[in-house]
Amino acid sequence: MRSALPAARPPRTAVLPRRPFWALLALCGLPLLGIAAAAVEAHMTATTNGATYTEAGAVPRRPVAIVFGAQVLPGGSPSRALANRLDDAVALYRAGRVERLLLTGDGSSSEYYDEPAVMRAYALERGVPDAAIVQDTAGLRTYDSCYRAKAAFGVESAVLVTQAYHLPRAIYTCERLGVRAVGFAAEPLGGRAAGAALRREHPARWLAWWQVTVTRPAPRIPGPRAAALDDRP
């Protein structure tokens, strides 16, 4: 008796692996995110073009120069980046382009670290009178410095002193927060420090756009309203 042959199996079809939803979202969204980020930077740069100076005598007269803080070295001396900013702010004061210096930086996060105090000592040593110096110890980030310049110190118009890579963000932020601003480009950083600063600057610009356009957060340390600079002796 002939044995029955086994039934033929149906042909197998290839089953493609299912891509996770988040992988698909990233695949589609990352290019769009890159385009949006590039558009933000282009807009920020375009709207601040023509507002940056490198010669003290060419800077339009403003009541105050806002000098942004940077790293202070152990022992209480300013880093090269910060010293360059301060040297240029002193030059602006001596040239009669500004009447006061608003020194803004981190003087609140630790009792052992005070950028504005070091900045003040540096400016005093170079002949800027004490009456022409104002400290903002709650300038923990560029956004906070610009916000507080208007809200806490009553600044309406200013020269912003920092390195060129930082100026588009600083000018854009101050303008959107109510301070009419031009910038003075301090001597640039060199070597690896310059590359690291530029890499940090790109996401910082995207965040700045989001903050001034969408969220408008209060500063990390709002603080009491200080006397307007114009009211100071």
Side-chain angles (χ1 to χ4, degrees), residues 1-7:
M1 184 175 177
R2 299 177 62 183
S3 60
L5 295 175

Side-chain angles (χ1 to χ4, degrees), residues 10-95:
R12 299 181 63 183
T13 58
V15 178
L16 295 177
R18 297 182 63 185
R19 293 184 181 275
F21 171 76
W22 291 112
L24 290 174
L25 184 63
L27 188 63
C28 298
L30 284 178
L32 295 177
L33 185 61
I35 292 171
V40 164
E41 293 213 35
H43 171 66
M44 189 173 292
T45 301
T47 56
T48 58
N49 274 343
T52 298
Y53 298 85
T54 56
E55 296 293 336
V59 177
R61 285 185 172 85
R62 296 291 169 93
V64 60
I66 300 176
V67 189
F68 292 88
Q71 182 185 21
V72 168
L73 303 177
S77 60
S79 61
R80 174 44 50 191
L82 183 54
N84 289 345
R85 297 176 188 184
L86 291 164
D87 287 340
D88 287 330
V90 171
L92 289 170
Y93 179 81
R94 289 174 176 170

Side-chain angles (χ1 to χ4, degrees), residues 85 162-169 189 197-198 200-201 205:
R85 297 176 188 184
T162 184
Q163 274 71 30
Y165 76 88
H166 182 208
L167 277 174
R169 174 164 60 100
L189 305 176
L198 285 173
R200 291 193 301 269
E201 183 63 17
R205 290 181 182 182

